[in-house]
Amino acid sequence: MNALKKEVEQKVEAAATQSTAPTADSAIDISLPGIRRPIGAEHPIIRTQNEIISVFRNLGYSVAEGPVIETDYYNFEALNFPPNHPARDTQDTLFLANQDAKAPRERLLLRTHTSPVQIRTMEKLAPPLRILVPGKVHRNDPPDASHSPMFHQVEGLAVDTNITFGDLKGTLDHAMKALFGSSVKTGFRPSFFPFTEPSAEMFVSCFICGGSGKRGEDNAPCRPCKQTGWIEILGCGMVDPNVFESVKQNGYDPEKISGFAFGMGVDRIAMLKYGLDDLQLFFQGDVRFLEQFG
Ligand SMILES: [Zn+2]
């Protein structure tokens, strides 16, 4: 036992002297540069989102954010989707599990659009209001080149006395020219959303082919605009008076005020801007893809 004890003690001593007194070979050369960490790059979706935000910030909009896990009330009911409204089906909502004991309006879901933040902000702030709402949204879509169960929206809301459809057109026309270049033209087509009336889809002339539908010297068909010369870029409309009803007590009397709202898909705009044909590239975390934006 004593022999063993001696051996262990010697080994411990040897190890201790080695670590405290390095030899010339193992010494740290303090003149060498340290380990550099790569700085990284802004993700193309965040970059696009920030570009959109800065355009509207210059128009006096402020940024509002809200929870990604929402109640049925904020995601649907307050936005004029009554129970059993067919529009609820079209959104293919992802609900949280085990909530059968709760009242339907309190059931939790992953928000399908950023519009719940309209209601949450109007509950807190009296009109006039100009907000921009960026954020993640979820829908039950299997991932492919143009779909993802998680994607990004930027939504806008302006409320004041005497806001008209002319204000909506002027604001969005200015914003599209600021985002895609002063030569783009804009157009509107009637549409339907439960929370706006009237509603419209907005188109911009294709900034890739200049609106001709053809590209390059050999007149190849322009894919992003499907050779039409126009790209559908966002949905918009005048806020439905029923939406104001749910926040009426905070100064939003639909008899006295009006407003417009719009929403766009950040991922799709980023794809158009950077000429990508596969949405999944944004979410795979492949550094070889992402470092190109550094
Ligand atoms: Zn085109």
Side-chain angles (χ1 to χ4, degrees), residues 158-178:
V159 184
D160 206 338
T161 48
N162 294 323
I163 293 233
T164 67
F165 204 87
D167 297 315
L168 179 157
K169 288 177 85 170
T171 302
L172 293 180
D173 183 72
H174 167 85
M176 294 305 118
K177 286 181 164 66

Side-chain angles (χ1 to χ4, degrees), residues 216-265:
E217 285 172 5
D218 53 348
N219 280 342
C222 179
R223 283 210 303 167
C225 67
K226 302 191 184 82
Q227 301 180 60
T228 62
W230 292 91
I231 293 173
E232 190 197 329
I233 207 82
L234 57 81
C236 56
M238 301 304 290
V239 179
D240 193 302
N242 287 343
V243 173
F244 288 135
E245 285 292 338
S246 54
V247 285
K248 197 173 178 177
Q249 69 286 356
N250 199 20
Y252 292 88
D253 183 349
E255 300 286 323
K256 293 179 186 149
I257 48 105
S258 56
F260 64 79
F262 54 89
M264 59 193 108

